[in-house]
Amino acid sequence: MNIIEELKGCNVVGITGHVRPDGDCTSSTLALYNYIRLNLPEVDVNVYLEQPGVEFSYLKGFNDIKNIPEDKIFDLFFVLDCSSSDRIEPFISCFNNAKKTICIDHHVSNNQFAQQNLVKPEASSTCEVLYETFDEDKIDKNIAECIYTGIIHDTGVFKYSCTSLKTMTIAGKMMAMGIDYSDIIDNSFYKKTYIQNQILGRALLESVLFYDGKCIFSNVTKEEMDFYGVTGKELGGIIEQLRLTEGVEVAILMYDCGENEHKVSMRSKKFIDVSKIAVAFGGGGHVRAAGFTARGTIYDLINKIGEMIEEQYERNN
Ligand code: 5GP
Ligand code: MN
């Protein structure tokens, strides 16, 4: 797919990603936005996202992000880093009003919901898939910053198994464009506020090991989030620290996101396919990183997840 080709004859273009946008989602939508603005300045291009974290505010176009849908008729509407149409609320009306829709993604669980779907589950990130739809000579430093940011976020700074030669080659090309990669990694990925460190400490302190130490679980309650004054967006990094625990194969982090409703994040190291578990609960993701939202008690949820992990172990042995 070539983006410039796809945009032929299009005057009004919309771009969105998934709910609770993360690094790859925010960066890929802004990369595409900046690419269109740079190369097709006559096109009316708009990015719609739930407000991303401030750690991404250095990305060009961040202040142009619209949080509320508009009733424009889009000639072309892009959905990036999103596996199913129920994950683009509240912008589903924009998608439904579009004459043509394209989804660019890398989730195994993608259900091909757009008219055209470019889905590469083997790719590290949506930024990696998107980059290949760009003409190399039509990319500037701002776009390079976006692509690089998406890649580092979805590869955990080049360490997850989704990192390939292609990933590193693209990242290298972005570095060669003069981006401040050290700052990007420190400020958008590793930096934590004092409060974020406190809640990280608390989540680690209250974590529990189960299934012979192969699983670790922690939960952040609504009361704790209110006490520290944080939202789900600020809990990034906790799940990764849990995953790094010696002997652990699966890490599970939950936080309250409504009355009796929980957001569940899962990460695995080598054996367990957490995307299968997430899909069974109506969510999705990747083999080593997946999530879902569910109602019920924490106790019931963790028991069910535990059973599914055990089943996978039994089947593999
Ligand atoms: P996280 O645990 O960081 O929220 O998400 C890890 C991965 O799972 C991401 O790729 C994310 O898109 C996917 N994911 C998380 N929650 C959900 C969900 O509720 N539904 C779907 N389809 N995917 C999810
Ligand atoms: Mn992604």
Side-chain angles (χ1 to χ4, degrees):
M1 184 183 288
N2 181 291
I3 290 295
I4 303 281
E5 293 292 316
E6 295 300 333
L7 284 160
K8 285 220 167 101
C10 296
N11 298 314
V12 185
V13 174
I15 305 167
T16 193
H18 60 75
V19 285
R20 299 191 199 94
D22 59 4
D24 186 32
C25 178
T26 307
S27 304
S28 58
T29 50
L30 289 176
L32 179 55
Y33 173 73
N34 290 322
Y35 185 78
I36 297 173
R37 290 206 46 187
L38 180 69
N39 296 295
L40 301 165
E42 66 286 2
V43 171
D44 170 19
V45 56
N46 310 270
V47 186
Y48 302 96
L49 283 179
E50 199 180 304
Q51 191 56 29
V54 288
E55 67 270 32
F56 302 113
S57 59
Y58 64 93
L59 296 174
K60 188 173 182 200
F62 186 86
N63 292 330
D64 300 341
I65 293 172
K66 298 175 180 178
N67 306 135
I68 300 167
E70 296 173 298
D71 49 11
K72 296 187 182 199
I73 303 292
F74 298 96
D75 296 312
L76 177 50
F77 196 76
F78 289 96
V79 184
L80 305 188
D81 200 36
C82 182
S83 54
S84 56
S85 60
D86 59 331
R87 303 250 302 150
I88 56 177
E89 283 289 352
F91 306 111
I92 188 74
S93 58
C94 302
F95 178 83
N96 290 337
N97 283 341
K99 293 181 190 155
K100 177 168 142 184
T101 56
I102 294 181
C103 173
I104 300 175
D105 187 28
H106 69 127
H107 289 87
V108 227
S109 54
N110 188 293
N111 65 7
Q112 314 260 319
F113 61 93
Q115 287 167 14
Q116 270 174 267
N117 300 278
L118 179 65
V119 182
K120 296 196 174 170
E122 72 287 358
S124 67
S125 51
T126 296
C127 278
E128 183 178 319
V129 185
L130 181 68
Y131 175 80
E132 296 203 292
T133 69
F134 289 173
D135 295 331
E136 278 192 34
D137 59 349
K138 296 190 170 74
I139 293 175
D140 68 1
K141 192 172 157 188
N142 297 312
I143 298 166
E145 282 182 349
C146 295
I147 299 287
Y148 188 83
T149 301
I151 289 177
I152 61 157
H153 276 261
D154 264 22
T155 59
V157 193
F158 308 117
K159 72 171 182 176
Y160 298 147
S161 56
C162 60
T163 314
S164 69
L165 173 62
K166 190 188 272 178
T167 317
M168 301 305 286
T169 306
I170 297 171
K173 286 182 182 172
M174 300 303 100
M175 289 165 76
M177 294 197 66
I179 61 170
D180 192 339
Y181 46 87
S182 305
D183 258 16
I184 291 178
I185 293 174
D186 267 352
N187 296 335
S188 81
F189 193 85
Y190 288 112
K191 188 170 75 185
K192 296 275 170 280
T193 62
Y194 177 67
I195 293 295
Q196 280 178 310
N197 275 336
Q198 287 205 312
I199 200 147
L200 164 71
R202 184 149 179 174
L204 297 178
L205 194 67
E206 290 176 6
S207 65
V208 284
L209 285 169
F210 66 102
Y211 199 35
D212 294 335
K214 290 203 223 19
C215 299
I216 191 163
F217 164 66
S218 193
N219 178 59
V220 181
T221 63
K222 164 108 180 25
E223 291 69 31
E224 285 166 338
M225 287 165 74
D226 288 349
F227 177 80
Y228 290 104
V230 296
T231 61
K233 260 194 282 206
E234 287 142 293
L235 302 181
I238 299 179
I239 184 80
E240 178 56 14
Q241 196 54 44
L242 291 170
R243 190 190 75 97
L244 285 170
T245 312
E246 186 177 12
V248 161
E249 167 63 20
V250 185
I252 304 146
L253 177 72
M254 291 188 200
Y255 68 84
D256 296 345
C257 63
E259 197 57 42
N260 199 30
E261 202 174 1
H262 313 276
K263 164 81 178 75
V264 182
S265 280
M266 295 179 292
R267 300 289 185 271
S268 66
K269 276 202 190 120
K270 273 201 156 74
F271 307 110
I272 298 298
D273 181 346
V274 286
S275 103
K276 268 194 194 150
I277 301 173
V279 167
F281 283 94
H286 314 281
V287 178
R288 304 275 170 255
F292 62 91
T293 12
R295 304 187 76 83
T297 68
I298 293 170
Y299 182 81
D300 280 346
L301 284 173
I302 198 68
N303 262 337
K304 275 191 210 148
I305 296 169
E307 278 168 21
M308 296 174 88
I309 294 170
E310 212 166 332
E311 265 171 38
Q312 283 198 32
Y313 266 117
E314 280 165 9
R315 216 172 307 130
N316 296 341
N317 284 334

